[in-house]
């Protein structure tokens, strides 16, 4: 592999992110930057109790206040559709999940703190807020159910009266494996059992959510400007299922978006409201979330409680694995909530290992809390954390080296069909572990541990592997599994007469660097400068129908569509060039932006061919139509499978429980890499979020359903001084075999691989200090670590 910097342009070059110029100079165009003539502002009156019956809403005094345009309650939305869930999961008996109505504004009951009860549209935000405070709400408070175990008890208070219980579904996978898996545990030489919690998180992107609805009576056209990762999906869900707006009458625009991390995938009530209210009020209506609102209205992430067991034979080979998980759905089903603990989690429970028998049980539970959905990694971090913690615990119980135990059980032959219904096409887990040992300087660890001990600190080393499934396809398969949308993507390549190119893509860039990396691919294929190519995204009126950006899918899926469309462009261009050079198109070659006839000195430049496409004087129109524009849709035949090995070194202060990360190393296999600098940046950001989960972040409620961590005063986010410099490597490349770029995806890896390495390191440190501690649940705050030390 060429060293970073050796390649100056095209695929493999660390081209600087062109989009950063506008971001760093304040020229970005975010949704909150957009203001329209005559726009009104909306303020949502939100529930301050977790569960209750709405007896009455008196809006008369509020309606008379200065600046108020209109006040809306749930009554205005009873005739519109429910906020839809995009994935139907069937339980282990084949019955469909329980799926309650999710109203735009609360109807009859409130079910979590932060649920919108009423919305005031006014001339200014201040006037809307003042009027909302004047609304008189009479709510009879009901017992809240917050703890999942309590929610599943007989006689528990139901979150939704029309459901049979608080159980959304009881999912078993693979159900046919259960008997054999249980039998393997009965005869196993050693069984390791671990109870753990994957803590609830708040995504906290830098930019809060914003929605701006507009309506034109002239042509009955609705427009929603929103902070979304997938505008076409929002148009489909909101238009077809909620508001009943034909798609050709609804435009959704997601301009620059300041981070998403999954929480901006979903269709939210505020988007539907602003679109609805713009028509009702006959003027644009805008909402910008405050940070406090974000904590209690953005979908949360994770929140699993799991028991995992690993069975080994006398030679320490893995023979079976089984898990029992309770997954919190919150009060309502968010867009992809049902799929996260099932198909995005259960199918990855093989990890990097050749465990022959696996059974996964997941009980999804409704509680009086904010809905829970995908957060960076979405199911894959939960699977990895369970697997890698129980393997580390098994190694400690057996007294064997944790690296050797993993190596012994690696998958080594590909393709490999796992017992949880996926097939890994490529990988080399020994290579990534070898690279990790090198870049992490494991040989020097003992000396560093002694140096820490001399300072009165305990040093620990934690390692782990990970594998994830990216791309989430093919559509026919996920459709059979309950997905209510196709998961392909699309690209349109439009070549201008002078040779420059606009590429319209279904993917959405909100930090991934598409405006830089996508042109690198097209530039490489055609042989023109990258700056001659622009990427257009985020506006449903301009781009082909695509499924947006999440699940590390952009290059693997949308990038592949872009390659296919570019191939069509090249094929047509060769026909035009052949006519210009009086040759057969079969003999025409394209290299470095020049068409030539093999074996001759005939050539014609890219720009001459593109001009001829629009000024067709030199080729017969009956054979080749004018213009140069092509569209391609790409539906993958399989997931892609990035994998890697991570290591963390920590120091623990035994007097205070304070954990300091001293070193962090990551060796990833992302297949072919388009832009190494962007890939490294994605890994850096993911590690920071994973460290945040492991050490700092934790969203919690009291027994009454009150959010205890509703601001940065109580919810700790990682800061620069919490993180070390990273050693990151992605030179171990086993290209994907089934997409034209050979790429696998990199956006979520850091957040998947880092939490178990941090926790493994802390456990190692405590045991090195003579404290026999088996496990501490995340976040590993000083208080939790100190208590573990003193109660060991």
């Amino acid at each position: 592999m060429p060293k970073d910097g050796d390649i100056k342009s095209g695929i493999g070059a660390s081209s600087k992110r062109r989009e950063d110029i506008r971001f760093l100079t304040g020229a970005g165009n975010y949704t909150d930057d957009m203001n329209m003539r005559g726009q009104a502002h909306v303020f949502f009156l939100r529930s301050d109790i977790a569960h209750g019956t709405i007896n009455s809403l008196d809006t008369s005094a509020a309606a008379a206040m200065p600046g108020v345009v209109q006040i809306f309650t749930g009554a205005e939305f009873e005739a519109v559709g429910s906020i839809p869930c995009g994935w139907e999961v069937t339980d282990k008996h084949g019955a469909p999940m329980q799926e309650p109505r999710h109203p735009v504004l609360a109807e009859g009951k409130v079910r979590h703190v932060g649920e919108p009860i009423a919305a005031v549209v006014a001339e200014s935000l201040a006037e809307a807020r003042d009027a909302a405070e004047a609304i008189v709400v009479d709510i009879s408070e009901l017992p809240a159910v917050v703890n999942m175990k309590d929610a599943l008890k007989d006689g528990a208070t139901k979150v939704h009266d029309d459901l049979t219980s608080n159980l959304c579904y009881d999912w078993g996978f693979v159900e046919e494996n259960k008997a054999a898996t249980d039998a393997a545990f009965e005869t196993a030489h050693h069984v390791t059992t671990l109870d753990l919690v994957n803590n609830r998180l708040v995504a906290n992107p830098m930019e809060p959510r914003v929605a701006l609805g507009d309506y034109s009576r002239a042509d009955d056209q609705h427009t929603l400007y929103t902070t979304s990762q997938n505008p076409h999906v929002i148009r489909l869900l909101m238009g077809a299922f909620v508001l009943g707006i034909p798609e050709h009458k609804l435009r959704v625009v997601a301009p620059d978006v300041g981070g998403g991390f999954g929480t901006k995938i979903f269709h939210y009530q505020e988007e539907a409201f602003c679109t609805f209210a713009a028509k009702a009020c006959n003027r644009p209506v805008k909402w910008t979330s405050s940070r406090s609102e974000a904590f209690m209205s953005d979908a949360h992430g994770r929140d699993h409680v799991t028991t995992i067991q690993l069975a080994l034979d006398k030679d320490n080979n893995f023979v079976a694995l089984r898990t029992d998980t309770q997954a919190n759905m919150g009060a309502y089903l968010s867009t992809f909530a049902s799929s996260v603990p099932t198909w995005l989690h259960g199918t990855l429970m093989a990890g990097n290992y050749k465990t022959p028998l696996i059974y996964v049980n997941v009980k999804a539970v409704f509680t009086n809390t904010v809905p829970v959905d995908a957060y960076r990694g979405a199911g894959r971090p939960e699977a990895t954390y369970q697997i890698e913690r129980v393997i580390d615990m098994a190694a400690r119980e057996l007294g064997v080296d944790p690296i050797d135990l993993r190596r012994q059980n690696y998958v080594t032959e590909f393709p490999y069909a796992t017992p949880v219904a996926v097939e890994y096409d490529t990988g080399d887990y020994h290579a990534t572990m070898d690279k990790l040992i090198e870049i992490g300087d494991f040989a020097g660890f003992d000396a560093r541990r002694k140096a820490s001990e001399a300072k009165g600190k305990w040093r620990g080393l934690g390692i782990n592997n990970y594998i994830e499934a990216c791309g989430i396809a093919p559509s026919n398969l996920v459709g059979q599994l309950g997905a209510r949308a196709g998961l392909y993507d699309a690209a349109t390549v439009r070549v201008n007469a002078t040779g420059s190119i606009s590429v319209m893509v279904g993917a959405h860039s909100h930090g991934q660097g598409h405006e830089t990396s996508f042109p690198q691919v097209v530039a490489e294929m055609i042989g023109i400068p990258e700056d001659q190519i622009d990427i257009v995204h985020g506006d449903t009126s301009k781009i082909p129908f695509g499924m947006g950006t999440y699940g590390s899918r952009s290059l693997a899926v949308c990038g592949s569509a872009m390659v296919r469309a570019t191939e069509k462009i090249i094929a047509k261009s060769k026909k035009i060039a052949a006519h210009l050079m009086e040759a057969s198109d079969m003999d025409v070659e394209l290299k470095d932006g020049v068409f030539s006839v093999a074996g001759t000195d005939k050539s014609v430049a890219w720009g001459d061919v593109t001009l001829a496409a629009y000024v067709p004087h030199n080729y017969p129109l009956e054979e080749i139509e004018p213009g140069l524009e092509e569209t391609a849709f790409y539906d993958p035949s399989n997931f892609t499978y990035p994998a890697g090995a991570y290591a963390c070194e920590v120091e623990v202060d035994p007097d205070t429980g304070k954990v300091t990360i001293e070193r962090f190393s990551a060796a990833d296999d992302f297949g072919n890499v388009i832009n190494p600098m962007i890939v490294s940046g994605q890994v850096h950001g993911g590690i920071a979020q994973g460290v945040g989960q492991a050490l700092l972040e934790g969203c919690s409620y009291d027994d009454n359903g009150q959010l205890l961590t509703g601001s940065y005063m109580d919810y700790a986010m990682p800061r620069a001084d919490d993180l070390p410099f990273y050693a990151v490597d992605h030179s171990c490349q086993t290209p994907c075999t089934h997409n034209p770029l050979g790429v696998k995806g990199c956006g979520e890896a850091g957040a998947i691989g880092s939490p178990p390495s941090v926790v493994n390191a802390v456990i190692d440190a405590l045991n090195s200090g003579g404290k026999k501690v088996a496990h501490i649940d995340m976040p590993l705050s000083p208080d939790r670590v100190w208590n573990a030390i003193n109660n060991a």
Side-chain angles (χ1 to χ4, degrees), residues 598-650:
T600 75
D601 59 357
K602 292 182 178 181
S603 65
V604 61
W606 167 257
D608 293 330
V609 172
T610 61
L611 181 61
Y614 290 93
V615 187
H617 294 166
N618 296 304
Y619 60 87
L621 294 179
E622 65 271 14
E623 295 182 20
I624 308 172
E625 64 183 18
L628 203 51
E629 179 174 324
E630 298 287 350
T631 295
F633 286 77
Y634 182 80
D635 198 346
S637 60
N638 190 6
F639 297 108
T640 64
Y641 298 98
Y646 282 21
C648 178
E649 283 188 35
V650 301

Side-chain angles (χ1 to χ4, degrees), residues 200 202 204 292 295 696-700 707-717 779 781:
R200 179 183 281 236
V202 181
N204 283 310
S292 295
F295 272 96
L696 298 161
E697 299 182 51
C699 178
S700 60
L707 182 61
L708 300 177
T709 50
S711 76
Y712 291 137
M713 293 294 291
D714 301 297
Y715 188 96
M717 294 285 286
S781 62

Side-chain angles (χ1 to χ4, degrees), residues 286-475:
K286 183 177 182 179
W287 170 74
T288 298
S289 173
S290 67
R291 186 60 66 179
S292 295
E293 280 184 290
F295 272 96
M296 59 183 176
S297 64
D298 290 3
H300 293 171
R302 313 287 194 250
D303 203 353
H304 288 189
V305 177
T306 297
T307 297
I308 182 170
Q309 294 183 296
L310 176 65
L312 302 91
D313 66 16
K314 62 182 178 60
D315 297 317
N316 295 337
N317 296 309
F318 301 165
V319 295
L321 182 144
R322 63 186 175 192
T323 70
D324 188 1
T325 292
Q326 293 177 357
N328 203 332
M329 296 289 100
Y332 299 99
L333 289 176
S334 181
T335 305
F336 290 117
S338 56
S339 67
V340 173
T342 52
W343 300 112
L344 301 183
H345 158 250
T347 53
L348 270 297
M349 285 308 300
N352 307 70
Y353 312 102
K354 53 190 178 186
T355 312
L357 292 167
I358 298 173
Y359 179 72
V360 179
N361 178 249
V362 177
K363 295 177 178 66
V365 186
F366 291 114
T367 62
N368 291 117
T369 62
V370 171
V372 180
D373 208 320
Y375 172 72
R376 196 170 189 170
R380 284 69 58 86
E382 294 90 322
T384 297
Y385 184 66
Q386 295 171 34
I387 296 166
E388 295 299 323
R389 280 295 299 123
V390 79
I391 292 174
D392 234 54
M393 188 173 180
R396 195 167 297 281
E397 290 175 350
L398 293 167
V400 299
D401 183 273
I403 295 178
D404 291 343
L405 182 60
R406 287 174 168 85
R407 285 190 187 274
Q408 176 178 338
N409 288 281
Y410 280 161
V411 173
T412 56
E413 296 181 2
F414 298 88
Y416 174 75
T418 75
V420 279
V422 295
E423 183 175 280
Y424 304 159
D425 59 334
T426 59
D428 189 341
Y429 310 144
H430 283 290
T432 51
M433 182 59 76
D434 290 342
K435 179 58 68 173
L436 179 72
I437 291 170
E438 174 192 332
I439 65 175
D441 185 24
F442 284 21
F445 174 72
D446 286 341
R448 294 191 293 273
R449 172 172 274 176
K450 290 178 181 177
S452 295
E453 290 171 350
K455 298 185 297 180
K457 305 289 180 66
W458 299 339
R459 183 177 283 252
L461 171 64
I463 58 96
N464 64 270
N465 288 100
Y466 80 88
I467 188 168
E468 63 165 323
C470 301
I472 312 181
S475 294

Side-chain angles (χ1 to χ4, degrees), residues 551-568:
S552 304
R553 71 189 300 273
S554 297
L555 264 176
V557 186
C558 189
S560 294
M562 183 176 63
V563 168
R564 295 297 185 229
T566 304
E567 289 173 344
K568 293 180 183 180

